[in-house]
Amino acid sequence: MGMLNARERFAMPALAPALFNVVAILCAAVLWLLGLPPEQVAVGWAVGTLLGGLAQFLVQVPELWRLGWRFRFAWHPVTATCCGWPA
C-alpha cells in the first residue's frame, strides 16, 4: 500500500482493505448458511481471513507491476551476531 501511495496511486490501496473484509465475511456467511456447525464455521472463517489477506495483496499487484515493481525471492542470512544468536 505504501509503495502505491508514495507514487500517488490511491484507488487500489483504498480498495484493498475493503476487499479483505468482504472476502472474510462472505466466507463465514456462506459456511453458516450451509448449516455447518459453529466449530467448522470458525475454522472456515480463519481460512476466509487468509484468503482475504491474499486478495488484499493480489488486487494491488497489477498496479505495482505497471509501476515497474517485480517481486523476487532472496535469502541473505545475517553473518553477524544479533540479539545473542550465533551467526
Side-chain angles (χ1 to χ4, degrees):
M1 287 185 199
M3 293 168 54
L4 289 173
N5 284 334
R7 296 288 189 110
E8 298 184 5
R9 308 290 175 112
F10 302 111
M12 285 303 121
L15 175 67
L19 185 62
F20 170 82
N21 289 331
V22 168
V23 170
I25 291 169
L26 280 178
C27 282
V30 167
L31 293 172
W32 181 72
L33 289 173
L34 289 174
L36 296 175
E39 295 82 11
Q40 289 181 349
V41 172
V43 171
W45 199 348
V47 171
T49 300
L50 292 173
L51 293 175
L54 182 63
Q56 182 176 12
F57 171 71
L58 291 177
V59 76
Q60 297 177 78
V61 169
E63 188 69 27
L64 288 166
W65 188 269
R66 281 191 286 275
L67 292 173
W69 178 78
R70 302 294 182 266
F71 185 78
R72 54 187 172 264
F73 290 102
W75 175 254
H76 303 288
V78 178
T79 57
T81 59
C82 175
C83 307
W85 293 81

